[in-house]
Amino acid sequence: MHLNYLAFAVPLFLAFMGLEYLVASKQGKTYFRFNDTVLNISVGIAERLADTFTVGLFYFVYRYLYEHYAVFNIRPSVLLWVALLLCTDFVWYWYHRLAHEVTLFWCAHVVHHQSEEFNYTVSARITVFQAFLRTGFWAVLPVIGFPPGMITSMLLVHGLYPFFIHTRTIGKLGILEYILVTPSHHRVHHASNPQYLDRNYGDVFIIWDKLFGTFTKEEEEPVYGLTKPLNSNSFLWQHFHFVLEMLYSVRHARTWRERFRIVFGKPDNVDPAARAVLEERFLIGKDTVTETPKLNNYVIWQIAVTLVLLFSFLLLEHYVPVFIQVCISMLIVCTLINCGAILEQKRWVFYLEYARFVILVSSVYYCWPQPVVLLGAVVVMAGGFYFHGALRQRYLDLVYGGIEN
């Protein structure tokens, strides 16, 4: 049986998140907030899902570059594995630094810094846009001559370490502080304190920050998140708000030189008034949100089911037909959008239930193409449309617990 054992990374990381929560609770620390944790995990689910379709593409890029443009013919050995680790981490440093210093790249990376807490769930905040961007930087490795197999293996190992530095439960680590990126170093990187901004870009080794003058010790207690908090639980808005802010600024720039400076200069060049204008245009809704047990329980239930579906899909992906893969992906994305909208108590979330029903029926009919499936779906949808008003109100009452919307 051909299983994808990398799928077990999902329950493994969830176990460490749970362990960190228990340790923090025992210490009397509030390192987790409900909305923040849900949003972090939601972004991570989307990234894991997207990786299913992009990892093969990235490997193809590395192989093509290696076969056609490799400068050296490198063969695996202990010293060359060490060299690849250093090269990978060096390239990461510059990718990470430029992701903070160039507006276009910051559009992809900003999602990772939106959380106002700092724990293992924050490590999940990686978008598929960031994965494409990193691949562009790491493409230099096959050109140097490192084989694609070595590169992908190293990227798997290299990608594990950063997970463990996203925590406040671990203090400073003595002599390791001089060599490795530690949780203390990375807390500085995620902080919005003025003295901590744009510091400590390293991923595994801290030597690059010390070499290029971007290192800062953790002294004052960090304040996490963006310098201007996002104040939105929307899954879509978190992914695209800065892209829209950049485009808004470009549109209102007076010269092409200004436009170029906005896109390829520092993120500070984006019009600071853009977000307020765009929020008013796209985030119409309540100014305040009241959490209820019903609301939270419904979101938890959806995230839990989505995680089980994601794990099953990743584990058995070699046996899942393409059409079902598409349906599962659409169902997961709809659910993530639904959870974010529910946290903001949007009334239009009811319509996403129609979308999820259509996706489920399509999947069932693909696996069991019988007329009774379509007939049942038509009957259910007809009833839904006929009793739309009452069903919608009942749904909102169940989800929001009678809160005035």
Side-chain angles (χ1 to χ4, degrees), residues 230-241:
L230 196 58
N231 296 325
S232 173
N233 294 314
S234 168
F235 176 80
L236 292 175
W237 187 248
Q238 294 203 14
H239 278 79
F240 297 107
H241 78 93

Side-chain angles (χ1 to χ4, degrees), residues 149-218:
M150 282 185 70
I151 295 171
T152 52
S153 299
M154 180 57 67
L155 292 183
L156 285 174
V157 175
H158 192 270
L160 285 174
Y161 181 80
F163 174 85
F164 296 99
I165 60 177
H166 288 82
T167 182
R168 281 184 274 178
T169 58
I170 299 175
K172 295 193 176 183
L173 298 177
I175 194 172
L176 295 179
E177 299 284 325
Y178 297 96
I179 305 168
L180 300 176
V181 176
T182 65
S184 176
H185 297 329
H186 208 59
R187 288 194 288 268
V188 167
H189 178 71
H190 273 261
S192 58
N193 311 51
Q195 71 272 30
Y196 290 159
L197 291 177
D198 299 330
R199 313 297 288 179
N200 297 1
Y201 295 112
D203 200 43
V204 174
F205 298 108
I206 199 63
I207 55 177
W208 314 119
D209 287 288
K210 294 186 175 183
L211 183 62
F212 296 109
T214 54
F215 174 73
T216 295
K217 287 183 179 180
E218 180 186 26

Side-chain angles (χ1 to χ4, degrees), residues 56 64 85 116 125 129 131 336 358:
Y64 180 85
L85 173 60
E116 294 178 32
R125 275 188 165 271
F129 310 119
L336 298 179
V358 170

Side-chain angles (χ1 to χ4, degrees), residues 196-397:
Y196 290 159
L197 291 177
D198 299 330
R199 313 297 288 179
N200 297 1
Y201 295 112
D203 200 43
V204 174
F205 298 108
I206 199 63
I207 55 177
W208 314 119
D209 287 288
K210 294 186 175 183
L211 183 62
F212 296 109
T214 54
F215 174 73
T216 295
K217 287 183 179 180
E218 180 186 26
E219 294 175 342
E220 178 183 315
E221 181 71 19
V223 176
Y224 301 102
L226 303 178
T227 53
K228 184 180 178 183
L230 196 58
N231 296 325
S232 173
N233 294 314
S234 168
F235 176 80
L236 292 175
W237 187 248
Q238 294 203 14
H239 278 79
F240 297 107
H241 78 93
F242 202 77
V243 176
L244 295 175
E245 290 175 37
M246 180 186 71
L247 295 175
Y248 176 91
S249 301
V250 168
R251 181 182 177 186
H252 289 82
R254 291 172 295 180
T255 66
W256 282 104
R257 184 176 181 179
E258 285 184 21
R259 295 186 180 100
F260 184 88
R261 187 167 59 89
I262 289 169
V263 175
F264 298 104
K266 289 183 174 296
D268 295 342
N269 294 325
V270 170
D271 186 350
R275 184 178 300 176
V277 174
L278 293 169
E279 285 178 343
E280 185 176 355
R281 183 181 304 171
F282 293 108
L283 295 183
I284 301 172
K286 296 176 62 174
D287 294 327
T288 59
V289 173
T290 304
E291 292 186 16
T292 70
K294 286 185 177 180
L295 183 152
N296 290 354
N297 290 339
Y298 186 47
V299 171
I300 291 172
W301 177 82
Q302 290 189 87
I303 291 294
V305 172
T306 301
L307 284 168
V308 172
L309 180 60
L310 176 68
F311 170 72
S312 304
F313 173 46
L314 295 178
L315 185 66
L316 303 171
E317 64 174 310
H318 297 291
Y319 301 97
V320 181
V322 173
F323 181 80
I324 299 299
Q325 290 186 20
V326 172
C327 287
I328 290 174
S329 301
M330 292 173 62
L331 187 62
I332 288 177
V333 170
C334 280
T335 301
L336 298 179
I337 295 171
N338 180 271
C339 288
I342 285 175
L343 291 176
E344 296 200 322
Q345 294 175 202
K346 303 295 186 184
R347 298 182 68 85
W348 51 261
V349 292
F350 177 72
Y351 299 104
L352 286 175
E353 302 300 345
Y354 284 128
R356 293 200 287 192
F357 178 75
V358 170
I359 295 169
L360 283 172
V361 170
S362 300
S363 302
V364 172
Y365 185 73
Y366 179 87
C367 298
W368 191 51
Q370 298 297 322
V372 68
V373 175
L374 295 180
L375 180 61
V378 169
V379 171
V380 171
M381 288 296 287
F385 289 138
Y386 184 79
F387 297 104
H388 173 80
L391 286 173
R392 180 171 177 268
Q393 190 56 51
R394 178 59 177 163
Y395 174 85
L396 296 176
D397 288 341

Side-chain angles (χ1 to χ4, degrees), residues 104-142:
L104 184 62
F105 296 163
W106 179 241
C107 288
H109 187 59
V110 64
V111 179
H112 187 61
H113 285 268
Q114 290 165 349
S115 176
E116 294 178 32
E117 294 296 338
F118 190 73
N119 51 57
Y120 284 152
T121 68
V122 175
S123 65
R125 275 188 165 271
I126 306 295
T127 68
V128 67
F129 310 119
Q130 188 170 327
F132 274 100
L133 181 58
R134 290 186 305 197
T135 299
F137 279 83
W138 278 326
V140 69
L141 298 175

